[in-house]
């Protein structure tokens, strides 16, 4: 250190002819900076950079000198050496001197609206000047800290060790690719400072007085300049969008922004956040991170988590509103519904008294067309999160390469089948791919008929298994519900083994065993041999009712004794949502003969499957080909594979257990307080709240359930209701 100071002292004397009275090292990124005081009371910054950067620094000096001339005292001057050079080489390093600017860092100041407004003002004035400059050296410059090229840093994504942060960054890289890349050629470009972070902004007497560190200047979209500045304006703010407005409005007044720039500002800010995080995690991994890297990372991560809850439409509308641009008219739901019903039958229902027009979604959030954010506590299909980038990209990539049917050989089918089946216990080792849960349950019944040569199917009260004809035939929820035509003659409907609302007295048996006993006597009364028994481990449409403990264990052997196959419908319960187990049947300590899969399998991409045994699959090979045009196609397989990868990498089953237990504990605390909460039940992130008028009578409180569902919707939280009385709030969040 002393040696370094001595060296600086010597260089300053020799090259500039000054007599230093103070040499003090300053914090810096990528280079060494020294504060110099001279005998004649002048102050400078002496900078040493690795390598020969003279050409670059000459360009930087040209810009600085122009700005310093135009805005005296606000920008540093390049100080020439005795022989008139802006920089010189010393031992393979480039050295130069800049004038000193007094001031405190914006980072250390209270960000009042007034202060941020002065920041916007100086930035706009600077950029107005920069817009006029043409500089081929800077135009040719490529650095990593350049948001427009942030996608080039994707290979470094894996350095982000926190899976939560990694998936958000990955999401925004994908969004940047989709939203910004096609528009890049249409954006105004100029030389920009490109690093208006609050450690590069000086404050004097309550106003921004200077901008330093032009080390990252690049030729880039002007809006990138605004985005970088706003990123740091918005960190550690409760309302990031609001906090951006004082800067933005004055900037726009001085240097008017264009609508297309405002529309992309959201993505450029996200881009800067991602760039900063990729670089800092990479530096940590490389071992080159300093204290500042670690300190500055935290608030940026917080901003990222705030940003993901804000829709681009909301940001763009708020910015446009503040700047006096026209904003799109609010959704007219009357018009929307009229349009929908013109061609779509009314049998397709619409959720909520006040419907929602959805525009986009990200992980646990959904965004409507007007920019509102909803917390999705209801949709279980986007299992690993809405628009999860791993899943989307897997689909995009495969769609661009090959999509065909199972009559050809392709790797994706075998690889995915292998990975999926590894999740099942023996002897479940064969899979048939289809395109929905309905198709899967339909196929399962067809396979059961084929294997057993029997017709009778036992189903559970309130069960739902699909929308095909056979799906309706085996769904008491449908054939026994509104518009239903009752059971077909091959159906036996067994009572729902519901420990909360069920009628079964247990006597010596457990509730589950008592229900199984009753089921067996009902089946025997028919006198028919069985083809199948199908049930969900937790009956969703029945009101999130977990089958009573011991029920399946007692019933499965009896079904098999009567010739039938046991089918577990895991469309809702599968893929780790139960928390304690990957599949619902595992909770009940049984292994079915067939498993029906759907919903979460493709995270929204239409996929379904029947998983069964060798023996049953072999018997199905009876001469009549089984073929599904789309089932098991390479795109579906790639997507299904990505879903399984994400579940593992992000430990989502463990997350379901931990979060679900926490949630249910909290709900049970509420239950003690509110007598209308009759029962809180479920497993992992598959939760039902049974609302009653009185806990003693257990009279369903349908009205309250509907009221709460709609009230929650007004508070931008999505849940649904179900059960025979529609009094159970169901939550199965992504
Ligand atoms: N089984 C169960 C348990 C379901 O909940 C559903 C859908 N709600 C289905 C099957 C049918 O799946 P899909 O709507 O994908 O055809």
């Amino acid at each position: 250190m002393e040696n370094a100071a001595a060296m600086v002292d010597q260089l300053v004397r020799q090259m500039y002819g000054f007599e230093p009275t103070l040499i003090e090292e300053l914090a810096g990124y990528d280079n060494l900076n020294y504060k110099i005081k001279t005998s004649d009371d002048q102050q400078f910054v002496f900078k040493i950079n690795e390598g020969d950067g003279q050409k670059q620094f000459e360009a930087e000096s040209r810009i600085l000198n122009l700005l310093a001339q135009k805005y005296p005292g606000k920008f540093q001057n390049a100080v020439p050496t005795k022989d008139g050079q802006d920089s010189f080489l010393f031992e393979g390093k480039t050295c130069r001197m800049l004038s000193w600017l007094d001031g405190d860092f914006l980072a250390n100041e209270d960000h009042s609206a007034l202060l941020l407004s002065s920041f916007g003002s100086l930035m706009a004035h600077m950029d107005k000047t920069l817009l006029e400059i043409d500089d081929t050296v800077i135009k040719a410059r490529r650095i990593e800290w350049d948001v427009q090229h942030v996608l080039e840093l994707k290979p470094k994504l894996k350095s982000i060790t926190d899976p939560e942060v990694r998936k958000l960054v990955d999401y925004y890289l994908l969004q940047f690719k989709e939203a910004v890349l096609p528009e890049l050629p249409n954006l105004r470009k100029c030389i920009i400072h490109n690093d208006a972070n609050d450690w590069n902004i000086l404050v004097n007497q309550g106003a921004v007085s200077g901008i330093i560190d032009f080390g990252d200047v690049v030729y880039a979209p002007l809006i990138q300049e605004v985005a970088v500045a706003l990123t740091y304006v918005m960190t550690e703010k409760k309302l990031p969008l609001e906090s951006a407005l004082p800067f933005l409005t004055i900037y726009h007044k001085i240097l008017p922004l264009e609508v297309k720039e405002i529309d992309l500002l959201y993505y450029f800010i996200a881009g800067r956040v991602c760039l900063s995080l990729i670089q800092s995690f990479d530096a940590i991994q490389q071992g080159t991170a300093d204290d500042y890297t670690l300190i500055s990372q935290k608030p940026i991560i917080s901003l990222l988590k705030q940003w993901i809850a804000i829709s681009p439409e909301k940001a763009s509308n708020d910015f446009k509103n503040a700047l006096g641009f026209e904003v799109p008219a609010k959704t007219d739901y009357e018009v929307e519904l009229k349009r929908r019903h013109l061609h779509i039958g009314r049998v397709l229902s619409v959720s909520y008294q006040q419907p929602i027009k959805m525009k986009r979604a990200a992980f646990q959030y959904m965004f409507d067309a007007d920019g509102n954010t909803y917390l999705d506590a209801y949709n279980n299909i986007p299992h690993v999160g809405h628009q999860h980038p791993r899943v989307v990209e897997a689909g995009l990539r495969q769609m661009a390469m090959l999509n065909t049917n199972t009559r050809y050989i392709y790797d994706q089918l075998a690889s995915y089948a292998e990975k999926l089946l590894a999740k099942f216990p023996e002897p479940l080792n064969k899979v048939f791919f289809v395109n929905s849960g309905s198709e899967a349950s339909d196929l399962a019944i067809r396979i059961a008929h084929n294997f057993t040569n029997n017709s009778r199917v036992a189903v559970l009260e309130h069960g739902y298994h699909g929308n095909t004809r056979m799906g309706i035939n085996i769904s008491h929820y449908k054939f026994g519900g509104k518009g239903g035509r009752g059971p077909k003659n091959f159906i036996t409907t067994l009572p729902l083994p519901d420990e909360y609302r069920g009628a079964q007295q247990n006597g010596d048996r457990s509730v589950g065993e008592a229900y199984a006993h009753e089921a067996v006597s009902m089946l025997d009364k028919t006198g028919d041999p069985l083809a199948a028994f199908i049930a969900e481990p937790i009956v969703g449409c029945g009101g999130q009712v977990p089958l009573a403990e011991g029920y399946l264990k007692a019933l499965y052997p009896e079904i098999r004794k009567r010739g039938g196959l046991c089918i577990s419908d895991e469309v809702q319960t599968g893929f780790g949502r139960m928390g304690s187990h990957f599949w619902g049947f595992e909770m009940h300590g049984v292994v079915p003969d067939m498993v029906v899969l759907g919903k979460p399998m493709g995270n929204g991409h239409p996929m379904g499957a029947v998983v069964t045994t060798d023996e049953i699959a072999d018997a199905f090979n009876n001469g009549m080909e089984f073929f599904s045009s789309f089932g098991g196609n390479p795109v579906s397989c790639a997507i299904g594979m990505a879903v399984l990868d994400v579940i593992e990498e992000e430990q989502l089953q463990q997350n379901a257990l931990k979060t679900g237990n926490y949630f249910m504990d909290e709900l049970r605390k509420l239950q003690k307080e509110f007598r209308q909460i009759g029962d809180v039940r479920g497993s992992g992130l598959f939760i039902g709240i049974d609302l009653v008028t009185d806990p003693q009578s257990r009279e369903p409180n349908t009205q309250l359930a509907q009221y709460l569902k709609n009230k929650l919707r007004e508070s931008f939280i999505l849940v649904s209701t179900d059960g025979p009385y529609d009094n159970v709030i169901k939550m199965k969040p992504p």
Side-chain angles (χ1 to χ4, degrees):
M1 192 52 229
E2 244 164 57
N3 278 348
M7 179 192 77
V8 171
D9 181 85
Q10 204 185 348
L11 288 174
V12 170
R13 285 171 196 276
Q14 200 178 318
M15 300 302 291
Y16 297 91
F18 293 124
E19 222 174 275
T21 54
L22 173 114
I23 296 173
E24 183 188 316
E25 194 180 345
L26 302 168
Y29 188 90
D30 264 4
N31 57 2
L32 290 172
N33 293 309
Y34 295 92
K35 179 176 183 177
I36 310 285
K37 272 191 187 169
T38 62
S39 52
D40 55 351
D41 259 356
Q42 295 195 76
Q43 297 189 92
F44 301 100
V45 182
F46 186 70
K47 293 166 105 57
I48 306 176
N49 283 68
E50 284 297 329
D52 180 358
Q54 279 190 288
K55 239 190 152 59
Q56 177 59 40
F57 292 130
E58 272 169 25
E60 198 183 303
S61 299
R62 283 196 293 275
I63 293 169
L64 276 175
N65 292 345
L66 188 84
L67 287 167
Q69 194 183 6
K70 201 149 183 191
Y71 307 103
K74 298 198 184 306
F75 296 89
Q76 292 170 291
N77 262 109
V79 179
T81 59
K82 281 196 289 197
D83 50 7
Q85 291 180 305
D86 281 335
S87 64
F88 64 91
L89 279 177
F90 174 74
E91 292 181 350
K93 299 179 172 76
T94 312
C95 307
R96 63 202 170 114
M97 192 123 96
L98 301 176
S99 61
W100 177 264
L101 293 182
D102 265 329
D104 301 314
F105 294 115
L106 179 61
N108 292 330
E109 301 289 313
D110 234 9
H111 286 189
S112 69
L114 210 63
L115 183 59
L116 294 177
S117 174
S118 71
F119 180 23
S121 165
L122 186 55
M123 287 293 292
H125 281 114
M126 174 183 77
D127 289 341
K128 230 175 151 175
T129 309
L130 293 179
L131 262 170
E132 307 292 319
I133 302 178
D134 189 21
D135 193 306
T136 48
V137 175
I138 292 179
K139 268 188 171 167
R141 189 166 192 227
R142 282 304 283 269
I143 60 169
E144 282 196 327
W145 286 87
D146 191 348
V147 181
Q148 63 182 319
H149 302 302
V150 65
L151 288 168
E152 290 173 15
L153 297 182
K154 179 126 188 193
K156 287 187 180 182
L157 190 67
K158 52 185 180 302
S159 68
I160 303 182
T161 42
D162 179 341
E164 172 83 11
V165 176
R166 190 172 58 231
K167 79 174 187 192
L168 296 180
V169 171
D170 198 10
Y171 171 84
Y172 275 123
L173 292 184
L174 179 61
Q175 299 301 319
F176 197 89
K177 185 166 115 193
E178 293 297 315
V180 179
L181 282 204
E183 290 301 320
L184 267 186
N186 307 324
L187 292 176
R188 212 178 355 168
K189 281 180 133 188
C190 63
I191 291 169
I192 63 169
H193 174 282
N194 194 36
D195 194 18
N197 84 67
D198 46 10
W199 292 103
N200 284 337
I201 307 301
L202 298 175
V203 175
N204 266 308
Q205 293 166 349
V208 164
S209 59
I211 299 171
I212 61 169
D213 192 355
F214 280 64
D216 284 342
V217 284
V218 283
Y219 184 72
L222 174 66
I223 198 66
Q224 180 171 318
E225 179 89 301
V226 178
V228 174
L230 286 183
T231 300
Y232 299 93
V233 165
M234 293 190 306
T235 47
E236 297 183 299
K237 302 286 158 60
K238 227 176 162 169
L239 299 168
L241 287 180
E242 266 180 38
S243 70
L245 300 183
F247 176 107
L248 200 59
T249 41
I250 189 102
Y251 187 99
H252 179 67
K253 222 181 235 171
I254 297 161
L255 173 50
L257 292 165
E258 297 168 5
V259 172
K260 59 173 177 274
E261 291 172 327
I262 296 296
D263 279 335
L264 294 180
L265 182 53
Y266 172 90
Y267 296 101
F268 271 96
I269 290 167
R272 173 65 186 205
V273 166
C274 293
L275 174 57
S276 162
L277 289 174
I278 292 173
Q279 293 292 63
S280 65
F281 274 100
D282 184 59
I284 292 167
Q285 196 182 54
Q286 305 288 330
T288 55
D290 53 21
D291 292 348
Y292 173 70
T293 314
L294 298 169
I295 294 167
S296 62
Q297 199 179 57
K298 259 196 182 158
I300 299 285
I301 291 175
S302 304
L303 178 61
L304 178 70
K305 290 181 181 175
Q306 285 174 303
W307 210 234
I308 195 78
I310 298 171
S311 84
E313 282 73 25
K314 162 86 176 150
S316 152
N317 287 351
D318 280 13
F319 294 152
K320 281 182 186 160
N321 245 328
L323 304 187
F325 287 111
E326 204 181 327
V327 293
K330 283 230 154 62
T331 306
D332 182 335
Y333 279 99
E334 220 169 285
V335 172
E336 294 290 340
L337 286 172
K338 209 165 153 190
R339 180 168 176 227
R340 174 181 168 114
H341 293 314
L342 210 54
H343 302 298
I344 307 292
R346 281 179 193 267
V347 70
L348 273 80
S349 71
V350 176
S351 289
Y352 302 113
Q353 287 153 0
Q354 279 174 272
I356 309 173
K357 183 177 182 183
M358 287 301 181
K359 177 84 176 184
R360 61 177 84 237
F363 304 105
Q364 70 272 41
Y365 299 115
M366 296 188 81
F367 308 105
D368 73 13
D370 299 326
N372 295 305
T373 301
Y374 299 83
L375 177 68
D376 187 357
Y378 162 49
N379 286 286
N380 55 336
I381 296 170
H383 192 62
V384 301
H386 288 274
Q387 278 44 65
H388 194 295
R390 285 284 298 277
V391 178
V392 175
E393 285 198 321
L396 284 174
R397 216 174 303 127
Q398 189 56 46
M399 223 182 286
M401 185 151 72
L402 172 75
N403 200 10
T404 184
N405 66 62
T406 46
R407 286 186 182 130
Y408 296 103
I409 309 280
Y410 44 89
D411 285 338
Q412 291 79 9
L413 182 67
S415 311
Y416 178 52
E418 192 178 297
K419 180 140 185 138
L420 180 66
L421 289 172
K423 296 282 181 196
F424 287 89
E426 279 298 336
L428 295 167
N429 60 10
K430 284 283 179 299
V431 56
F432 295 94
F433 290 115
V434 288
N435 314 296
S436 67
S438 300
E439 254 188 275
S441 56
D442 191 300
L443 176 64
I445 299 296
R446 184 179 146 201
I447 292 174
H449 279 310
N450 176 78
F451 187 77
T452 63
N453 274 318
N454 300 330
S455 299
R456 184 152 296 279
V457 179
V459 303
L460 280 186
E461 228 182 343
H462 312 305
Y464 177 69
H465 303 288
N467 62 30
T468 63
R469 249 179 107 94
M470 181 54 79
I472 302 300
N473 287 343
I474 59 172
S475 299
H476 173 255
Y477 182 71
K478 290 291 185 190
F479 69 71
K482 270 192 209 157
R485 298 184 173 195
K488 291 279 188 258
N489 57 13
F490 61 88
I491 293 292
T492 302
T493 310
L494 306 173
L496 179 62
D498 175 351
E499 292 189 78
Y500 179 66
R501 195 166 262 112
Q504 200 51 241
Q505 297 299 313
N506 54 2
D508 295 341
R509 299 184 174 97
S510 74
V511 176
E513 283 165 356
Y515 270 106
H517 187 74
E518 188 192 6
V520 169
S521 55
M522 281 177 77
L523 290 171
D524 284 345
K525 247 186 231 153
T526 70
D528 290 342
L530 285 175
F533 162 67
I534 184 167
E536 286 182 273
I538 299 183
V539 183
C541 293
Q544 315 279 89
V545 178
L547 301 183
E549 205 184 316
Y551 177 72
L552 290 184
K553 209 158 189 166
L555 188 58
Y556 268 21
E558 300 299 328
I559 298 292
R560 286 171 178 143
K561 259 189 232 162
R562 285 155 185 80
L565 297 181
C566 300
I567 306 173
S568 186
D569 182 339
E570 301 276 347
V571 166
Q572 301 262 6
T573 49
F575 292 91
R577 176 169 294 280
M578 299 292 99
S580 56
H581 298 86
F582 202 79
W583 306 111
F585 64 78
E586 293 171 305
M587 291 191 318
H588 294 282
V590 293
V591 178
D593 304 301
M594 269 192 273
V595 180
V596 170
L597 304 179
K599 285 189 201 278
M601 198 176 179
N603 212 50
H605 180 77
M607 287 178 79
V610 175
V611 172
T612 188
T613 66
D614 253 338
E615 191 193 358
I616 296 168
D618 276 349
F620 194 48
N621 186 18
N622 62 1
M624 181 197 284
E625 187 195 14
F626 168 72
F627 177 69
S628 162
S629 295
F630 305 130
N633 70 67
V635 172
S636 298
C637 290
I639 287 174
M641 190 78 134
V643 170
L644 290 176
D645 285 343
V646 173
I647 292 172
E648 279 170 20
E649 283 167 27
E650 296 180 13
Q651 305 194 338
L652 294 181
Q653 186 184 329
Q654 293 87 327
N655 179 62
L657 182 67
K658 194 171 148 193
T659 316
N661 283 346
Y662 168 78
F663 194 11
M664 273 193 278
D665 284 348
E666 292 296 305
L667 287 170
R668 286 187 179 122
K669 282 184 204 162
L670 285 179
Q671 187 182 15
K672 290 202 180 103
E673 208 175 318
F674 298 97
R675 54 204 299 277
Q676 292 91 341
I677 301 179
D679 193 23
V680 173
R681 58 184 176 241
S683 180
L685 283 173
F686 192 114
I687 296 170
I689 309 171
D690 197 318
L691 296 169
V692 293
T693 49
D694 168 81
Q696 249 67 54
S697 71
R698 300 188 178 180
E699 184 74 36
N701 197 337
T702 309
Q703 207 186 351
L704 180 62
Q706 298 312 307
Y707 174 81
L708 283 176
K709 173 175 77 176
N710 284 293
K711 267 288 174 209
L712 281 167
R713 178 244 175 274
E714 285 171 31
S715 310
F716 304 99
I717 296 171
L718 307 178
V719 301
S720 185
T721 54
D722 217 330
Y725 314 103
D726 215 11
N727 69 315
V728 180
I729 295 198
K730 63 173 175 181
M731 286 174 291
K732 298 168 292 178

